[in-house]
Each structure stands twice: as C-alpha cells, then as structure tokens.
Amino acid sequence: MMDASTPPASEFERLIHGQHDDPFALLGPHGTGKDRIVTVFDPGAQTLHAVTDDGTTHPLTPMGGAPGIFRGPVPGSGHYWLRGEASGNTWEFEDAYRFGPVLGEMDEYLLGEGSHLRIWQALGAHVIEHEGQWGCQFAVWAPNARRVSVVGDFNWWDGRRHAMRRRGATGVWEIFVPFVADGAVYRYEILGADGQVQPLKADPVGFGSQHPPENASIVRDISGYGWSDDEWMTTRAEAQKREAPISVYEVHLPSWRRKDWGRPISYIEAAKELIDYVADMGFTHIELMPISEYPFDGSWGYQPVGMFAPTIRCGLPHEFRDLVNAAHKAGIGVILDWVPGHFPSDPHGLGKFDGTALYEHADPREGFHKDWNTLIYNYGRAEVSNFLTANALYWLEEYHADGLRVDAVASMLYRDYSRNPGEWVPNKDGGRENYEAIAVLQRMNTETYGAHSGIMTVAEESTAYPGVSQPVNQGGLGFGFKWNMGWMNDTLEYMKKDPIHRSHHHHQMTFGLVYAYSENFILPISHDEVVHGKGSMIGKMPGSDWEQFANLRAYYGFMWGHPGKKLLFMGQELAQRSEWNHDAQVDWDCLADPRHAGIQALVRDLNHLYTSTPALHVRDCFEDGFEWIVGGDSQNSVFVWTRKAGPEDPQVVVICNFTPQEQSAYRIGMPTAGTWREALNSDAEIYGGGNRGNYGQVEAVEGEMHGQPAHVDLTVPPLSAIYLIKD
C-alpha cells in the first residue's frame, strides 16, 4: 500500500542495509485514529499482522522492493502487538518502535553537559517497566556514530532490527526492547561516521559480562538488594579517619583460594572464608585488587574493560554485594582498587568506540601508554571526566565500598611519564603536569567525599608531587591517604642487605621520618613486591634459614611500630616461599611448618596490639606521635623510638635490632621510670624465635639518658623487635 505519506524507497533501502540514522522516524506508529500507520521491519516474515487489544488483526502490506518491510493502517492510539508468519511458523512480538524515550529532559541536559554523576542510572542496560510493558532499556554514548544498534540473541545479532534513537545533541542513543530480561547477552553494533561498521562493542556502562575470553555484556538487574550493614555504614567514619587503626589485607580474590580443581573462590564463599580469616588475623580492612571486569587474567584487573561490572570470575553482582555485606557485619572495611589511568585496546572495549578517539586522545603522545600497551583517557573531555567520576560514585553507592585505592596516579599526573623527549605534549604553560588529569582526580575526590561521609580514597603515587592527601580547597589532590612508596623501597633495600653491611645504610630506615607527616601515609608491602622475579618476602631476607625468618619478623615489627597505616599483601603474612602466582593460590600448605605459622601468629598479634593500643595509631599522621630515643646507633643497627597518643594513654617504646648479635644490657632512655611490660617480642618461641628477652617486663630507673628522664638496661635479641608498654 502506498499513499502520500509513504516514505521514499530510498529510506527503506537505508534501513534494510543498516545505514539509517533515524529509524524511529520511519518505523513504528505514526499518526493516530484512523490515520495511524504502522511500519515494521522483520526480515524473517512472509506475512505480518498487527493485533490490537480487542483481538482485531490488521494485515500489514509488504513493501515491494523492500524485503522485510511491512506497512499498513492500525486504527486507534492504543496498544498493539505483532504477529509474523513464515513457512508455517508463527511468532508474536512487541514493536520496540512504538515506545517513547525513557531518558528524560534532565538526563539529556546533564549528559550533554557532562555533569550527570549517576550516569549508570541513565546509561547501560536496565530491566524496567515502560509504558505498561516490561523489557530492557539500552542507552549508550556514541556521539560520532551514524547508527547504533543493540544486538544479541534476542534479535539474531542483526543490527538492523533494533537500531537506536539518537537523543539530540547529547551523543546518547537509546531504545527500549520489550521482553529482554536479566541474563540476556548483548553488544552494540556501531556504524562510524565513515560509514564503516565497528567491531562489536561491550557496553561501557554494562553491569555484567560474559566469562572471559568471551566478552559480550550481559543484562544484570542490580536493583533490589537487601543490605543489612546499617550499623557499619553509620559508624564507618570513625573507623576510617586519620586517628583510627587501619591495617589492610590486600587480596587478589581469584588467587586467594582456589576451589574444585582450580576455579577461583566465589564471592559467596569469600563472604565466609575470607572475612572469617581477616577478622581472626586482626586486619581492619580488605583491599581487593580490581574487580571491575577485565579480559586478560594476567593483568590482575589493572586493564579493565567493564568499569561498572564486578568480574564474573567470582560470581554475580548481588553475590559481590554479599561479600561486602558480610565484611561490614564483621566490622571490616572494603577498599577497591580503581583504575582511571588507562584502559586496554581490545577491540570490544572503549578504544575508538564510535569509530573515533572518543574516550582516549587521538594523538598517541597523549593517548597511548607504551609501557602497558594501553590507551589513556582524554581527561579534558567533559563526558570522560563525568564517566570516571560517576564510576567512582557507583562503587561507593551501589556496592557500599568504603574506599577506593587509585592505581598509578603518577602516570596520570605527568604528561612525560615514562616518555622520552619529543614523545609527549606539554601542557598549555609548556610544563609536564597534566592539568586535566589533576582536575579529574580533584573532582573525583570532591564528589565522593561530598556525597559519602566516612569513605576513604588512597593514592598509589610514587613521586614527590605535593599535597596528594591535602584537601582540594587547599590546593591538594584531595585523597585521604597516600601509599608511602619511598618508605617501602628504602626499608626493603636495607633488609635485603647482609647485616654486616647494614651499618652503612642506616639512613634507609630513618629517612622515612624526615617526610613522614608531609602526607597521610599508608605503609604498603603490596603485590608489586612479590611478582615479576622479585621473589617472596622471605626470599628477600639474607642469611641462613633461621636468619631469614628472624629478619622478616623484625621487619614486620619495625613496620607495625612505625608511623603510618599498614598494608600487607596476601601470603606475606605466612612468609610463603613462592612468588605470587595469579593462576594459583596462597601457599596455605606452608602453615604445616611452625616457622611459617609463627610469622602468621606474629602478624596476627601485631594487628591486635596495633588496633588496641592508641599510642600505635592515633597519631600515625601527626608529628607529635613519634620521638626518636636511639636513631643513630648505626654500628649496632639498633633503632629505638617511642609512640604516643595523648597524655592519658600509655606510651609504647619500640626497639629493633637488625644484626644477628644479641645486645645484652643495652641501655636506652625511657619516658618514665617504673615497670614496663614486654607487650611483644618477635623472638618469642610462639613466633619461631629463640625465646630471648626480658622475662616479660623491665624496670626503668630515674636517670636521664637519650633526652629521656629515665633509663633501662635490657636484652635485645638478635634480629628482633620488642614493644614495651607502661600500663
């Protein structure tokens, strides 16, 4: 049937060949009452009828020369559905093109402006009821595309069937597809501005993905979870402030524990096993290496593609929430590693998403990390800044994360990071600082702290960039804490040396106190120290087998007594011999050896002592919480200091001996005379030591020494750390 309103044949040709950029102008119902005309594209149908609610069928006429196009009158303005027939088969379906837009004017305005901080509520795939029909709304940002279609099993992966509606100047495309439910597999088929169809793309704001190496997105309904962590959420601010004890257990969940012939532990299993273990060990937080979906196991999650999807390797989104909920009910905070610094160039990912450099810079001098073979976000683009900031908020809001540890901050701050002269583009002032990336980090911290009191953000930043953990309104980046990479490098280099040479490197253990209060520091012994041929922590220690264990015990004693919050990567608390392998699990079998079990017991006791003793944590980030007593005894490689909280709290004196020689009757100054309890001795037999020490207590007597009003003679075992507390 042809009439004056029938579009020209060329319009149908564009639709059939997947070239039409405005399918809603052609398909679906147009007009009302007796003038309503419905146009449908169903290339599998030989005949097609529209059926109205009163049961009346209205045959639609195939358009000659346009196979699969049917058109005809369907009187009225109410609901209709479609019935197709071919080769004796009949099927019924709803017409996706009869539904109006889902996104409202405010969504459109904020998306266009780059200020929609809850973009996951507008973009992505959402199972909803729309205009009386349930189905799935799909929306994606692709401003330079000529056509965007959602494809999946529900439409035979045919990009012509569900070409999407462009939303004005926002660059967003959307469509509501009836009857598409949770679990549906989908991708976006994008026709670029050059007329070329791009590789099928995963959803940048998708909530679920297939199991790698498959890489399509999966519709996941993330609404309706029943949280039961109100007590933690309303009190966590106290547990995460600078004065709180914060001891973090860093975990690569897929390799923490393996199950059933090698599969990763599930979120549900971890909600019991991991949380029970962390609580027993006395850690206050877990830090999960990136759990946003990533294609390559060997990237450990640091090359993410699905920034809004918890990795399917360990389970579904609600099951990840089960893990967080269980942690909170046990009083344990959850920090997520977050990667805004780069993304992989996998064809299904963000790279040239709509056929142009959309999320990344077009110029490889700004947009390509040659070290990692990854792409760098275009931080100066409002929509990209919004995407990253909203993603940070997403994990805090939808999954109740308590904090984000931002990976590779240094690579974001500097335009010449790991580049030779001529390989980078200076900023507008001719310098190396990346103003746009700095603005994104400041925006992320401002928005997250502003929206969620009590959260914490942590920067992995390896340079001396000033003010990383200073507020944005004071010129800082706005992070709550910063990893102290300098302390980690210096002290580990010292520990690797044979004790006979340590006297010449004494400063490597003391230098950290020169800048200890320039930032709010976390002392990290992370996964980076036990990979890529660096060996294990116990393997770094010199000497005989006994000396290796004693060295490691002394080092952990030094670390827990030093100002700064603590972080230890999984397996290091066991002194496992093997380097971390992401395809295996922690070497739990080593605990059958009392020496390894002793290290585990020491870490457990250090955590409990640290969290229960205000002097060891309250002034971690303040200069008045530390005082050297003996900082310069390089000849004996002995270090003595005191930790303080307030006038009402007992002080703690920490003594470390990093030689294999026992120091007998070693005299040190003490803050007060009287009985001091030996609260911890790393040489105790329960830790695998020689049980040398001071019989549980020492008596300090009046008499000034080392600037202190009292002194004591004590035994300092070889390669040991002792904590003295005056109750």
Side-chain angles (χ1 to χ4, degrees), residues 474-508:
Q474 296 178 20
L477 292 182
F479 286 93
F481 295 93
K482 173 182 173 176
W483 274 17
N484 195 335
M485 310 293 283
W487 175 92
M488 177 272 296
N489 285 318
D490 286 346
T491 58
L492 282 183
E493 284 303 310
Y494 177 91
M495 293 304 301
K496 292 174 186 177
K497 292 177 172 61
D498 189 296
I500 198 171
H501 301 302
R502 285 176 177 168
S503 62
H504 304 293
H505 301 273
H506 198 76
H507 65 283
Q508 289 185 303

Side-chain angles (χ1 to χ4, degrees), residues 407-555:
D407 177 63
V409 170
S411 75
M412 299 175 65
L413 296 179
Y414 299 105
R415 289 173 165 267
D416 64 345
Y417 180 86
S418 193
R419 295 179 188 273
N420 297 317
E423 296 179 346
W424 57 282
V425 179
N427 62 35
K428 64 183 179 66
D429 297 318
R432 58 195 287 258
E433 294 81 9
N434 191 327
Y435 294 153
E436 295 80 11
I438 291 167
V440 167
L441 292 171
Q442 290 175 322
R443 181 186 184 190
M444 180 277 295
N445 280 313
T446 299
E447 296 292 350
T448 54
Y449 275 100
H452 300 284
S453 63
I455 61 102
M456 61 189 291
T457 61
V458 182
E460 183 210 12
E461 203 284 311
S462 55
T463 74
Y465 187 91
V468 172
S469 58
Q470 296 302 309
V472 172
N473 62 7
Q474 296 178 20
L477 292 182
F479 286 93
F481 295 93
K482 173 182 173 176
W483 274 17
N484 195 335
M485 310 293 283
W487 175 92
M488 177 272 296
N489 285 318
D490 286 346
T491 58
L492 282 183
E493 284 303 310
Y494 177 91
M495 293 304 301
K496 292 174 186 177
K497 292 177 172 61
D498 189 296
I500 198 171
H501 301 302
R502 285 176 177 168
S503 62
H504 304 293
H505 301 273
H506 198 76
H507 65 283
Q508 289 185 303
M509 299 295 268
T510 60
F511 183 63
L513 272 302
V514 173
Y515 59 88
Y517 310 103
S518 60
E519 303 277 3
N520 301 324
F521 279 124
I522 293 176
L523 310 182
I525 308 297
S526 74
H527 66 277
D528 280 328
E529 309 321 309
V530 290
V531 291
H532 299 320
K534 295 179 183 178
S536 64
M537 283 298 290
I538 191 69
K540 299 181 196 301
M541 302 297 122
S544 66
D545 191 73
W546 186 92
E547 288 172 328
Q548 284 187 305
F549 280 92
N551 267 302
L552 188 57
R553 292 194 300 268
Y555 181 62

Side-chain angles (χ1 to χ4, degrees), residues 268-599:
I268 293 176
E269 291 164 336
K272 173 63 177 172
E273 297 177 32
L274 174 62
I275 300 309
D276 284 353
Y277 179 75
V278 170
D280 174 67
M281 288 297 296
F283 289 100
T284 63
H285 290 70
I286 56 173
E287 179 181 316
L288 297 177
M289 290 166 63
I291 54 89
S292 50
E293 195 58 80
Y294 53 100
F296 176 48
D297 287 355
S299 78
W300 317 325
Y302 291 104
Q303 294 188 14
V305 166
M307 290 288 280
F308 289 80
T311 179
I312 191 62
R313 290 168 176 83
C314 299
L316 301 174
H318 276 355
E319 294 170 345
F320 177 62
R321 284 169 162 151
D322 289 339
L323 171 57
V324 177
N325 198 56
H328 288 172
K329 294 180 77 171
I332 295 167
V334 179
I335 302 167
L336 304 181
D337 274 11
W338 186 58
V339 189
H342 62 147
F343 57 91
S345 56
D346 296 58
H348 70 285
L350 297 180
K352 292 202 170 181
F353 187 78
D354 63 0
T356 66
L358 185 61
Y359 287 87
E360 73 274 27
H361 287 276
D363 188 336
R365 295 177 300 166
E366 297 184 274
F368 185 72
H369 264 310
K370 61 179 183 178
D371 289 356
W372 301 318
N373 195 35
T374 54
L375 302 173
I376 303 170
Y377 288 102
N378 182 352
Y379 301 109
R381 184 159 191 165
E383 297 94 338
V384 174
S385 170
N386 190 78
F387 173 81
L388 292 171
T389 303
N391 183 250
L393 287 164
Y394 168 79
W395 292 106
L396 299 173
E397 294 185 11
E398 294 292 343
Y399 293 95
H400 284 200
D402 302 297
L404 301 172
R405 198 280 298 191
V406 183
D407 177 63
V409 170
S411 75
M412 299 175 65
L413 296 179
Y414 299 105
R415 289 173 165 267
D416 64 345
Y417 180 86
S418 193
R419 295 179 188 273
N420 297 317
E423 296 179 346
W424 57 282
V425 179
N427 62 35
K428 64 183 179 66
D429 297 318
R432 58 195 287 258
E433 294 81 9
N434 191 327
Y435 294 153
E436 295 80 11
I438 291 167
V440 167
L441 292 171
Q442 290 175 322
R443 181 186 184 190
M444 180 277 295
N445 280 313
T446 299
E447 296 292 350
T448 54
Y449 275 100
H452 300 284
S453 63
I455 61 102
M456 61 189 291
T457 61
V458 182
E460 183 210 12
E461 203 284 311
S462 55
T463 74
Y465 187 91
V468 172
S469 58
Q470 296 302 309
V472 172
N473 62 7
Q474 296 178 20
L477 292 182
F479 286 93
F481 295 93
K482 173 182 173 176
W483 274 17
N484 195 335
M485 310 293 283
W487 175 92
M488 177 272 296
N489 285 318
D490 286 346
T491 58
L492 282 183
E493 284 303 310
Y494 177 91
M495 293 304 301
K496 292 174 186 177
K497 292 177 172 61
D498 189 296
I500 198 171
H501 301 302
R502 285 176 177 168
S503 62
H504 304 293
H505 301 273
H506 198 76
H507 65 283
Q508 289 185 303
M509 299 295 268
T510 60
F511 183 63
L513 272 302
V514 173
Y515 59 88
Y517 310 103
S518 60
E519 303 277 3
N520 301 324
F521 279 124
I522 293 176
L523 310 182
I525 308 297
S526 74
H527 66 277
D528 280 328
E529 309 321 309
V530 290
V531 291
H532 299 320
K534 295 179 183 178
S536 64
M537 283 298 290
I538 191 69
K540 299 181 196 301
M541 302 297 122
S544 66
D545 191 73
W546 186 92
E547 288 172 328
Q548 284 187 305
F549 280 92
N551 267 302
L552 188 57
R553 292 194 300 268
Y555 181 62
Y556 286 164
F558 178 87
M559 175 179 174
W560 258 257
H562 193 285
K565 310 308 178 185
K566 324 302 175 190
L567 180 141
L568 204 63
F569 180 57
M570 65 183 198
Q572 295 173 354
E573 82 280 14
L574 314 180
Q576 69 175 40
R577 287 282 187 189
S578 57
E579 186 175 87
W580 171 51
N581 177 1
H582 69 271
D583 285 326
Q585 68 170 359
V586 169
D587 183 13
W588 300 106
D589 291 342
C590 77
L591 289 174
D593 185 330
R595 298 169 300 175
H596 293 278
I599 296 284

Side-chain angles (χ1 to χ4, degrees), residues 71-247:
R71 181 177 169 84
V74 181
S77 59
H79 171 239
Y80 66 88
W81 67 96
L82 301 166
R83 179 181 297 148
E85 296 178 351
S87 303
N89 298 313
T90 301
W91 59 93
E92 294 186 345
F93 60 101
E94 290 281 352
D95 184 1
Y97 291 93
R98 77 172 178 84
F99 294 92
V102 175
L103 297 176
E105 291 183 2
M106 184 57 69
D107 286 317
E108 190 172 346
Y109 173 78
L110 295 175
L111 288 167
E113 189 180 58
S115 60
H116 198 310
L117 293 176
R118 306 299 184 279
I119 63 169
W120 71 91
Q121 297 174 2
L123 304 183
H126 296 266
V127 178
I128 61 171
E129 183 176 315
H130 180 51
E131 297 180 4
Q133 175 64 54
W134 71 268
C136 189
Q137 177 231 5
F138 297 92
V140 64
W141 180 57
N144 302 305
R146 286 173 51 179
R147 170 182 61 82
V148 180
S149 301
V150 62
V151 295
D153 292 336
F154 49 84
N155 62 13
W156 296 275
W157 299 91
D158 186 343
R160 302 172 300 168
R161 290 177 179 266
H162 288 118
M164 303 169 77
R165 170 191 282 118
R166 186 195 295 268
R167 293 303 305 268
T170 63
V172 172
W173 302 72
E174 73 160 340
I175 192 170
F176 174 76
V177 183
F179 298 123
V180 173
D182 184 273
V185 179
Y186 71 101
R187 292 184 175 93
Y188 291 115
E189 181 182 284
I190 298 174
L191 182 70
D194 60 359
Q196 299 298 310
V197 176
Q198 305 303 304
L200 292 180
K201 294 291 188 177
D203 190 344
V205 191
F207 303 138
S209 297
Q210 289 181 304
H211 280 273
E214 300 298 322
N215 53 40
S217 297
I218 296 183
V219 176
R220 295 295 183 200
D221 185 358
I222 63 170
S223 64
Y225 184 76
W227 291 98
S228 57
D229 61 349
D230 287 353
E231 182 177 355
W232 167 264
M233 295 295 285
T234 56
T235 61
R236 69 178 177 183
E238 285 296 307
Q240 304 199 137
K241 62 183 183 180
R242 290 185 297 174
E243 295 82 1
I246 296 175
S247 183

